[in-house]
Amino acid sequence: MNIKSLLELESRLDYFSQFSFDIFDTLVFRTVEDHTEREHEISKLISKYLNRIGISCKFQDYMTLREIEFQKSKLITKDEIDYFSSIKNILKSLNVSFDDLEMIANDVWKIEEEYEVSVAYANPEAEKILSILKRNNKNIVAVSDMYLPKSSIKAILNKVGLLAYFDNVYVSSDNKFTKHSGLIYKDLLEKGFLVKGNVIHTGDNWQSDEVMAANNSIFGLHYVNKKNEDRKSKLTLKLIKKHKFNINKCADDLSDLLGKGFALYIKQIFDCVKKYNSKKIYFFTRDANFLFSSAEEYKKKFSISGVELRIL
C-alpha cells in the first residue's frame, strides 16, 4: 500500500490524531546506500582525525574495533547500541588518556554526524505527506532506530528540510529501546508520548514498523513505494555483483564472522586484565596453544605491555 495515496484520503485522516513515522528509508534516503560502504567512509574520516591528533589508528583497525564494541554493547543493553560508551571503549583501547577521552569522543561523534548529514536527502514523497498532515492539524512524530543521539537525527531532518513538520522526535538511543524489539513503542505509550488507540505508525521495515507496532496495539503501516523498492533491488544486485556471492563467499563470510566473535572473546579477556590490574594471563584449557597464540597476536596488534602470557 502506498502511504501517500492512503493519507490523501480525508476519511483516513479523520481516524487518527497522531501520525508517527520511521525516518531512514521512509522519509529520508541516503546517497550512499550500502551499509558497509558507509562504515568504511565513517571509519576513514575518524581514522584520519585520530592520526592528525597523534593517535595512530588505521581505518581498518578502527572499523574492526567499532564493530566489536557495537556488538558487545548490544549484548550488554540487550537492544540498542550505547554509542558513547562504545566510542570511549575504542579510544581507551587506543590509549587515549582519561583527560582527553570526553573531548575526543565528542569530536568522533560530530564527524559521524556530519557524514550522515552530508549523505542524507528527503524522500520526494515526504514533504507532500507531511504537509497534508500539518494542514489537518495532526500531531506528527518520528520514531527511529538509530544509535546516534536525538540531536544528530534532528540535524539530519533539518538538513533535508523536514524537521519543522515534527512535534517530537524519538530515537532508540534515548533509552536503548528499539522498534525491532518493540520496547520503544511500549515505553512511549506508557509515558503518553504516543496516543494509545489514536496513533498510526508508518515505516519501510515490515517487522519493526508494522508487526512490532501491532504487537503494542499501534496501527502499523508498512510503507511500500515503487521507486523505493526499485532502489533497494538495484542496491541488492549491486552488492551481489560487487561481492560475487557464492557458496565459497558465504563460507568466507561465516569464517569472518566467527573470527570477529573470537576477537571479541580475546578482547574481553584483556578488558578484564585492565579492569582488575592483572599482570599475568594463564591458559590451561585443552586448546591452550591456540588461545595463547591468539592472545599474543592481540598484544602485538594493540601494543599491550606489562601483561605476561603463560600456558599451564
Side-chain angles (χ1 to χ4, degrees), residues 158-172:
N158 186 53
K159 183 257 185 176
V160 302
L162 299 180
L163 181 61
Y165 288 104
F166 289 93
D167 294 290
N168 281 296
V169 176
Y170 305 109
V171 186
S172 58

Side-chain angles (χ1 to χ4, degrees), residues 120-161:
Y121 68 99
N123 175 353
E125 285 191 345
E127 191 165 5
K128 296 176 184 177
I129 297 167
L130 295 173
S131 62
I132 291 169
L133 296 173
K134 208 68 175 176
R135 284 199 304 271
N136 283 271
N137 298 314
K138 300 299 179 181
N139 180 264
I140 307 171
V141 300
V143 182
S144 178
D145 278 354
M146 182 56 160
Y147 54 82
L148 289 177
K150 184 187 297 185
S151 59
S152 297
I153 308 307
K154 285 187 171 182
I156 292 167
L157 287 170
N158 186 53
K159 183 257 185 176
V160 302

Side-chain angles (χ1 to χ4, degrees), residues 187-301:
D187 183 57
L188 294 175
L189 285 167
E190 288 176 350
K191 292 174 178 175
F193 297 150
L194 291 181
V195 185
K196 190 171 184 179
N198 210 356
V199 57
I200 177 172
H201 176 78
T202 303
D204 73 298
N205 188 302
W206 178 75
Q207 173 68 21
S208 296
D209 296 308
E210 183 170 348
V211 175
M212 296 313 295
N215 282 354
N216 285 275
S217 302
I218 294 172
F219 189 97
L221 187 65
H222 184 207
Y223 172 67
V224 179
N225 172 280
K226 187 177 185 305
K227 288 184 178 178
N228 197 23
E229 294 307 306
D230 288 346
R231 184 177 61 84
K232 290 180 180 179
S233 295
K234 286 178 182 177
L235 175 60
T236 301
L237 291 172
K238 176 185 173 184
L239 292 174
I240 290 172
K241 185 177 180 181
K242 178 181 177 181
H243 297 292
K244 299 177 181 177
F245 289 147
N246 54 41
I247 298 281
N248 292 329
K249 179 66 172 65
C250 289
D252 291 341
D253 287 344
L254 178 59
S255 296
D256 184 52
L257 177 63
L258 292 173
K260 288 174 180 174
F262 185 71
L264 173 59
Y265 172 69
I266 295 294
K267 181 181 184 300
Q268 287 174 325
I269 292 174
F270 280 95
D271 284 348
C272 289
V273 166
K274 190 172 183 180
K275 180 178 180 180
Y276 297 108
N277 197 28
S278 301
K279 301 299 180 185
K280 295 179 182 179
I281 302 175
Y282 293 96
F283 296 97
F284 53 90
T285 68
R286 187 173 58 184
D287 303 311
N289 288 323
F290 176 60
L291 290 168
F292 176 81
S293 60
S294 299
E296 276 199 321
E297 288 300 315
Y298 189 94
K299 273 186 66 178
K300 291 176 186 175
K301 181 75 173 175

Side-chain angles (χ1 to χ4, degrees), residues 4 33 52 78 95 111 124 173 291 297:
K4 179 175 181 293
E33 295 164 345
R52 190 171 69 246
K78 298 181 180 178
N95 297 317
I111 289 169
S173 60
L291 290 168
E297 288 300 315

Side-chain angles (χ1 to χ4, degrees), residues 14-123:
D14 291 337
Y15 292 162
F16 302 97
S17 64
Q18 186 180 51
F19 287 75
S20 169
F21 290 91
D22 167 54
I23 295 177
F24 296 103
D25 292 322
T26 300
L27 300 179
V28 176
F29 295 157
R30 294 178 174 107
T31 54
V32 182
E33 295 164 345
D34 181 352
H35 172 75
T36 303
E37 190 176 341
R38 288 201 306 275
E39 292 290 304
H40 267 272
E41 291 305 312
I42 289 167
S43 295
K44 284 179 180 177
L45 289 169
I46 293 172
S47 173
K48 185 177 179 180
Y49 159 73
L50 292 174
N51 282 288
R52 190 171 69 246
I53 63 172
I55 301 169
S56 179
C57 181
K58 295 178 181 177
F59 90 88
Q60 297 96 331
D61 292 338
Y62 183 85
M63 192 170 175
T64 299
L65 286 170
R66 173 186 166 92
E67 186 169 351
I68 288 171
E69 284 299 334
F70 279 11
Q71 292 303 320
K72 180 180 173 183
S73 181
K74 283 185 178 181
L75 291 173
I76 294 170
T77 67
K78 298 181 180 178
D79 209 353
E80 182 57 282
I81 295 162
D82 188 332
Y83 179 74
F84 283 104
S85 290
S86 298
I87 296 302
K88 287 176 182 178
N89 285 341
I90 293 171
L91 296 175
K92 286 175 187 175
S93 71
L94 296 173
N95 297 317
V96 173
S97 69
F98 178 81
D99 291 341
D100 295 332
L101 200 60
E102 194 73 30
M103 179 192 71
I104 295 175
N106 282 327
D107 287 346
V108 167
W109 158 46
K110 281 301 177 182
I111 289 169
E112 185 158 356
E113 178 186 286
E114 287 169 10
Y115 175 81
E116 287 287 357
V117 168
S118 72
V119 300
Y121 68 99
N123 175 353

